Amino acid sequence: MRQPLTGGQRGYLLATLTLANVVNFYDRTIPAVIVEPLKGEFGLTDTMVGVLGGSFTVVYAIAGVLLGRLADRVPRRYVMAAGLVVWSLFTGASGLVQGFLFLFLFRLGVGIGEASYGPASNALICDVYEPKRRSRAISIVSLGIPVGLLLAFLTVGVLVEATGTWRAPFVIAAVPGLLLAIAVLFVKEPPRGATDTVELHAQEQERHPYRAVLRIRTITWLMVAGIGLQIPTYGVATFVVPLLQRYFGLSIGPASIGAGAILGLAGIVGLLLGGRLADRASDRHPSGRLVVAAAGFAAAIPLTLAALLLGPGRAVAFVALFAIGWTGTQFLSAAASPAIADVTPPQLRATAIAVYFASFNLVGATIGPILVGALSDGLATPVDGLAADAVGLHRALLTVIPIGLAIAVLGAWRASRALPHDRDAMTKGVTPAA
């Protein structure tokens, strides 16, 4: 008989995974806060800054597919704990480099370590919580994303100003991850599929897991949504601090705080609101949570555009309006993994989530910062007293953000249309039609 975890065990698991996610995204965000110091020391262009961020996600995506499959075969706590150790050590080493090449290589190491976490943690949560509560549970763990971003934007700039070097945040950030690796080892894992309310069948999935995942239309359309979202998300995460510095004239401290409000506070509100709305919507219709995600993207487009069209002297208004719009982009994080769990058997979930993560990281998260950086360099022209690099970066974001979010709307909506059929196919043990 499948035994679910006790309330205390679930609470410990949820708290530990959330804290690990905080560390994950804090470490990942440090380079985005120190773009200007890095450019000054290593003589980088915006395109090179974009390549630094994009290359991280390529390695993250490829390693995630392999580690996701591993997480379907071995205890997931071992995979997550090992990843924490690896990414924390490479994060600390990043603060000791003497050249851009080694910084580049060490960030790839961070990507490999962090790739272990997302698929394993999301699949584990889907085994701990029954379907009607999964979006809220996922949203709580996903709070680690905006909280990590917020903490990074609030503290990294201050640490740089206090110590006089961009290296200090990397070294300091390595310590919490190593401690959390120990805590993760004490997480209690339930049997796979312990909380499923219907019996889902594997059949050919165990023999051809990746082919089986890619034949599920809900997942392929979620990939489109994820790619559309991550193009602007990683573009904004990499360049919002430089935008606030160059275009709006803020110093690194206030600029990083403003970025924290956009990517941190808006993310927290969006995940909490999105998780609740998604679970309520799924009670009414199987596809409800994905409709909520599509609506969030649709609302974000005009609000973020309006913020970007504000003048250079409107920094506070820009941050407030952009943050309100950005809230809607977070709904997919609460909806995607539960939706994937609805259409995949327990033995395939970490693999399916890893494939989903890999798609938007390989394409969206890789293209996003590189595209914004290249457009920023290509569109750089001084206008009305603004420096060329300020104008170029502003134009780049004004181009990339609405296009990416429009793609995300399409993907989330089409995924919502495909989910009922795919869920029926999985519960009956039928391979979905291509």
Side-chain angles (χ1 to χ4, degrees), residues 341-420:
D342 284 344
V343 297
T344 54
Q347 302 90 336
L348 196 64
R349 282 180 186 155
T351 300
I353 293 169
V355 170
Y356 165 65
F357 281 10
S359 66
F360 65 66
N361 280 303
L362 273 174
V363 183
T366 301
I367 289 175
I370 295 174
L371 180 60
V372 172
L375 284 173
S376 176
D377 289 335
L379 298 173
T381 305
V383 174
D384 296 332
L386 287 171
D389 61 350
V391 175
L393 182 54
H394 180 255
R395 289 174 174 173
L397 290 171
L398 193 58
T399 302
V400 169
I401 290 173
I403 294 175
L405 294 181
I407 295 171
V409 172
L410 172 65
W413 174 251
R414 291 300 300 270
S416 75
R417 304 290 290 176
L419 187 143

Side-chain angles (χ1 to χ4, degrees), residues 189-358:
E189 293 194 39
R192 298 178 196 266
T195 59
D196 286 323
T197 55
V198 295
E199 194 67 32
L200 301 178
H201 301 273
Q203 291 191 359
E204 74 158 335
Q205 286 92 324
E206 282 298 305
R207 298 193 301 272
H208 305 288
Y210 301 115
R211 181 192 304 171
V213 167
L214 293 173
R215 288 173 66 89
I216 301 172
R217 290 180 299 164
T218 301
I219 296 178
T220 56
W221 280 113
L222 279 173
M223 291 178 183
V224 173
I227 290 168
L229 172 61
Q230 297 306 326
I231 289 174
T233 291
Y234 275 79
V236 169
T238 303
F239 287 105
V240 68
V241 172
L243 178 74
L244 289 166
Q245 290 178 274
R246 300 177 199 174
Y247 191 79
F248 291 101
L250 303 182
S251 64
I252 188 172
S256 62
I257 291 172
I262 291 172
L263 296 172
L265 293 179
I268 293 170
V269 173
L271 283 167
L272 290 175
L273 178 61
R276 184 168 293 275
L277 291 175
D279 276 341
R280 286 184 176 180
S282 68
D283 286 341
R284 297 183 178 92
H285 191 276
S287 298
R289 53 170 55 102
L290 295 179
V291 174
V292 167
F297 292 134
I301 295 173
L303 291 168
T304 53
L305 266 177
L308 286 165
L309 292 173
L310 293 170
R314 308 284 302 279
V316 174
F318 167 79
V319 170
L321 188 55
F322 199 96
I324 293 171
W326 207 245
T327 299
T329 68
Q330 305 304 301
F331 294 175
L332 182 66
S333 296
S337 292
I340 291 173
D342 284 344
V343 297
T344 54
Q347 302 90 336
L348 196 64
R349 282 180 186 155
T351 300
I353 293 169
V355 170
Y356 165 65
F357 281 10

Side-chain angles (χ1 to χ4, degrees), residues 39-61:
K39 289 183 68 176
E41 179 159 339
F42 297 131
L44 308 181
T45 64
D46 280 349
T47 302
M48 294 172 70
V49 171
V51 168
L52 179 64
S55 60
F56 170 95
T57 56
V58 170
V59 171
Y60 177 88

Side-chain angles (χ1 to χ4, degrees), residues 142-156:
S142 296
L143 282 175
I145 299 172
V147 170
L149 290 168
L150 179 61
L151 289 175
F153 285 121
L154 291 179
T155 62
V156 171

